[in-house]
Amino acid sequence: MKNILQPHIRIGNGYEVKYALLPGDPGRVDEVAKFLDHTEELAYNREYKTIIGSYKGVKIFVSSTGIGGVSAGIAIEELKNIGVKVMIRIGSCGALQPHLRLGDLVIASGAVRNDGASYAYINKAYPAIPDPELLFHVMNAAKKNQSTNHTGIVRCHDSFYTDKEQEIDKFWSEKGILASDMETAALFVIGGLRGIKTASILNVVVEKEGDLEGGINDYIDEKNNSRRGEEQEILTALEAIVSYESIYKN
């Protein structure tokens, strides 16, 4: 196979890595690296920072996707092009239910497609759902790690700053949607269409009645429990990969 350099993530095939963790923030790539052995930075272009390492003997890429489904979709497609078959998002979210607290994990069992990226691929009758086997391993890993976690549907959107944000959040909260993020729907839809096994683990950084700017700023400044949640989502994703690999080695 010809080693073609991917235009955005700036790496080619030849690594024989089938697993990838997908944080949004390039800075979170460095946090994941703390849990890995034999890490090496491969490329950093625009929002796409990629490292390779291993966890309990399993080789893994960690590749940031930036903000939103559009940039995430590019990373997903290009990682697939170099042989990645299993992708787990490790991101942040805003809670839509009052019982979710900072640092809790939300494991997405599906996503409301209020984003543009997934719709660019196929109309909204197509479901945004994770791979059920991978979801099973993620849920078991979260239980094993004794993290506070909630499994359910999330809503994906394209902006924090529309004129009707409170009204929109209230509507979806009343429908039982757990939380909001910006990338999960694109991951699930592209994964389904391209034959990629996907899952999404989200860390609550803003509570339902919390302040968006304050919550995110505190998270960045390491001032609250969201940092603990970040560690838990990383460990959950890594343990899920090891568990999945033990069964599906090929």
Side-chain angles (χ1 to χ4, degrees):
M1 180 185 296
K2 186 177 180 181
N3 188 7
I4 300 175
L5 189 69
Q6 297 301 305
H8 298 90
I9 63 173
R10 305 303 295 168
I11 56 177
N13 53 289
Y15 292 98
E16 298 183 350
V17 176
K18 65 180 180 181
Y19 297 102
L21 298 190
L22 306 180
D25 183 0
R28 199 173 301 130
V29 174
D30 297 328
E31 295 303 312
V32 180
K34 297 175 183 178
F35 295 84
L36 303 180
D37 298 318
H38 314 298
T39 58
E40 177 187 354
E41 183 174 323
L42 301 179
Y44 194 172
N45 179 54
R46 299 193 179 196
E47 61 265 56
Y48 306 109
K49 181 175 183 176
T50 301
I51 66 171
I52 188 173
S54 64
Y55 182 78
K56 296 186 177 179
V58 180
K59 290 198 296 185
I60 299 169
F61 284 135
V62 185
S63 187
S64 58
T65 64
I67 296 177
V70 175
S71 61
I74 291 171
I76 294 160
E77 293 277 18
E78 294 188 3
L79 286 166
K80 178 188 179 295
N81 289 344
I82 62 170
V84 178
K85 302 179 185 300
V86 179
M87 303 183 195
I88 302 179
R89 167 164 159 71
I90 46 170
S92 57
C93 66
L96 293 179
Q97 298 301 324
H99 64 281
L100 271 62
R101 294 289 180 255
L102 294 178
D104 285 6
L105 301 187
V106 174
I107 300 170
S109 61
V112 175
R113 294 175 57 194
N114 271 176
D115 66 311
S118 71
Y119 189 62
Y121 278 82
I122 193 167
N123 71 59
K124 294 190 176 181
Y126 188 90
I129 55 175
D131 175 77
E133 293 170 337
L134 186 59
L135 174 63
F136 171 81
H137 286 274
V138 168
M139 293 172 65
N140 275 353
K143 182 178 179 180
K144 176 182 175 182
N145 291 337
Q146 298 183 322
S147 65
T148 303
N149 63 88
H150 316 266
T151 300
I153 302 171
V154 302
R155 170 189 170 251
C156 293
H157 57 101
D158 284 339
S159 178
F160 293 119
Y161 299 113
T162 66
D163 294 332
K164 296 183 178 180
E165 285 301 303
Q166 290 185 336
E167 179 182 332
I168 294 169
D169 286 347
K170 182 176 184 293
F171 175 85
W172 289 110
S173 175
E174 290 173 349
K175 304 302 181 287
I177 304 304
L178 290 183
S180 293
D181 86 326
M182 302 179 77
E183 295 84 13
T184 294
L187 172 64
F188 287 173
V189 169
I190 298 171
L193 293 171
R194 299 290 189 255
I196 308 164
K197 307 292 187 180
T198 62
S200 180
I201 309 167
L202 306 174
N203 171 31
V204 175
V205 299
V206 182
E207 294 182 356
K208 184 177 184 295
E209 303 302 330
D211 172 64
L212 172 67
E213 291 83 0
I216 293 176
N217 287 337
D218 284 352
Y219 173 48
I220 293 171
D221 293 338
E222 304 186 35
K223 291 181 180 178
N224 61 38
N225 287 334
S226 296
R227 282 293 175 179
R228 174 182 54 81
E230 180 181 85
E231 292 182 356
Q232 285 295 315
E233 72 176 347
I234 292 169
L235 278 171
T236 296
L238 291 171
E239 289 292 338
I241 285 173
V242 170
S243 175
Y244 186 92
E245 171 69 7
S246 70
I247 298 174
Y248 305 101
K249 292 183 182 298
N250 296 317

